[in-house]
Amino acid sequence: MELHGNLDGGGILEGGTSECVESVNIREYWGHRHVVTAIAVFPLGDRVVTGDGHGRVRVFEKESKQLVGYIRAHNKHHVCCLHVSPDRKFIASAGLDDLIQLIDAGTHEIVKTFKGHKRQILDLKFSNCAQFLCSTGWDNKAVLWNVSKLSKQAVLKFHMKPVSCCAFSYKNNILATGSWDFSVRAYPLDKLTPASPPPRRLQEEDITILTHHKSKVTCIAFSRAGMMGTGSYDGQVYIYHYRGLYLLAHLDPQGGWLRSLAFSHDSLLLATVSDDDYIVRVWDAVTRELEEEIPIKAEDLLLCSFLPNGKLVAAGSLM
């Protein structure tokens, strides 16, 4: 596998080295007897988590490829999605058994099983403070879980179709969900998680609804500088100011539907991955100009993300 280009947290550098781009090729991580169906990378990029079609979750050292954790998370049920908490304490795993397993990232023991969905779970995300976890699913709802209390915090039933993705703002004041009803909805987290329980019932007027996409919304990401990016089956990316949630820019990667998007830690870059061309596109998040296209030899490119050191990670089944 070969990557072209050189990135760092401050923008695009001239030259053709790949020292600042890291790849995670699931073919190199041995021990899977079934197809790998989900993948996540630890916040510092030092460990990789995989889930397979038989309900197993594995944790590997990224550099040595050594298996350090093995969890029977979902009994013979396909693992749908994975996420690692920003404080590195927990791994969340969702399966076709409609369950969410909260796994201790140190001991690899299951701490809690969350039950709240009646159909397949499509996405999982921890809040930046690691206190909350959001899950979204085919049952047209999102569920907010309180990780510190190991309990259900709120159920959000505001979408008309499956809720496919979610993300928390870095200041932990907004939870956004995207749906196959073509909309993105943003919820004020302080009204879902008040200091004095119980939380009051959220009303439609509390929610900001964004309807720029013309097809199913597939991914959402927030920047630390106050932007929110969304991607869809329409192949388009929209960038909003997260406070007023007004539209800042429209990007057209000219590829297939959007699999993944991520902002760099300094908020200067935005990386996008489309479904059909196996190219990571890197945009200037300020000028919104396409800065670089990084071709990746892959059978399946699942995600892209930035590490704190500015390196860009591309993960999937690479050739």
Side-chain angles (χ1 to χ4, degrees):
M1 201 280 293
E2 185 180 3
L3 295 177
H4 302 283
N6 192 352
L7 310 175
D8 76 357
I12 304 299
L13 300 179
E14 295 181 358
T17 78
S18 58
E19 294 178 357
C20 291
V21 182
E22 295 193 6
S23 64
V24 175
N25 185 355
I26 57 176
R27 289 170 174 260
E28 298 176 354
Y29 296 84
W30 299 103
H32 301 101
R33 295 183 180 179
H34 300 267
V35 63
V36 174
T37 54
I39 188 168
V41 180
F42 269 62
L44 297 180
D46 55 331
R47 288 190 170 185
V48 174
V49 187
T50 64
D52 68 21
H54 208 58
R56 274 38 174 177
V57 173
R58 293 171 173 83
V59 184
F60 298 88
E61 292 289 349
K62 179 182 177 297
E63 295 302 324
S64 68
K65 312 295 190 298
Q66 180 181 354
L67 178 67
V68 295
Y70 177 81
I71 306 102
R72 292 181 174 89
H74 306 278
N75 184 26
K76 297 183 180 180
H77 287 87
H78 172 123
V79 178
C80 304
C81 44
L82 296 162
H83 198 236
V84 182
S85 63
D87 60 4
R88 300 167 56 91
K89 290 183 179 180
F90 296 107
I91 300 166
S93 169
L96 276 181
D97 53 6
D98 305 335
L99 301 178
I100 299 166
Q101 303 293 7
L102 187 67
I103 301 165
D104 187 303
T107 65
H108 305 124
E109 298 290 331
I110 294 175
V111 176
K112 179 72 174 180
T113 299
F114 291 131
K115 301 177 181 180
H117 288 277
K118 294 182 179 181
R119 296 187 67 185
Q120 180 181 344
I121 298 165
L122 297 175
D123 197 17
L124 284 172
K125 291 288 169 56
F126 283 98
S127 63
N128 194 48
C129 63
Q131 185 177 353
F132 300 103
L133 174 71
C134 181
S135 59
T136 68
W138 269 89
D139 53 6
N140 300 0
K141 67 184 180 184
V143 181
L144 183 66
W145 307 93
N146 191 314
V147 176
S148 58
K149 296 180 180 180
L150 299 178
S151 63
K152 185 186 297 182
Q153 183 75 30
V155 178
L156 304 173
K157 298 180 180 179
F158 294 96
H159 286 287
M160 301 299 128
K161 291 187 178 181
V163 188
S164 50
C165 55
C166 60
F168 291 89
S169 65
Y170 277 93
K171 292 187 177 181
N172 302 305
N173 57 347
I174 294 176
L175 168 63
T177 59
S179 170
W180 288 11
D181 63 13
F182 305 177
S183 75
V184 174
R185 294 174 187 251
Y187 311 88
L189 204 55
D190 61 341
K191 293 184 179 181
L192 295 173
T193 59
S196 301
R200 75 172 182 83
R201 186 176 180 85
L202 210 63
Q203 305 298 320
E204 283 282 357
E205 55 266 26
D206 297 320
I207 305 166
T208 302
I209 304 174
L210 306 172
T211 57
H212 293 93
H213 285 292
K214 305 304 180 185
S215 189
K216 303 171 184 176
V217 180
T218 54
C219 50
I220 303 174
F222 283 91
S223 79
R224 286 167 170 76
M227 292 178 285
M228 180 181 75
T230 64
S232 166
Y233 267 97
D234 60 17
Q236 307 301 296
V237 176
Y238 290 97
I239 300 177
Y240 304 87
H241 190 286
Y242 91 97
R243 285 189 181 275
L245 289 169
Y246 55 84
L247 184 64
L248 292 173
H250 166 223
L251 308 178
D252 185 2
Q254 296 183 347
W257 60 273
L258 270 294
R259 275 186 175 268
S260 177
L261 54 84
F263 287 95
S264 61
H265 282 238
D266 61 9
S267 302
L268 296 180
L269 301 175
L270 171 66
T272 63
V273 171
S274 298
D275 176 62
D276 63 352
D277 56 8
Y278 309 116
I279 293 174
V280 177
R281 291 176 174 85
V282 182
W283 309 77
D284 186 311
V286 179
T287 67
R288 285 91 192 191
E289 294 181 357
L290 180 62
E291 295 285 350
E292 190 159 358
E293 293 185 331
I294 306 171
I296 297 179
K297 298 176 181 178
E299 290 184 357
D300 199 14
L301 185 56
L302 299 176
L303 65 86
C304 65
S305 64
F306 284 94
L307 302 179
N309 62 9
K311 289 186 176 182
L312 176 63
V313 175
S317 180
L318 313 180
M319 294 187 292

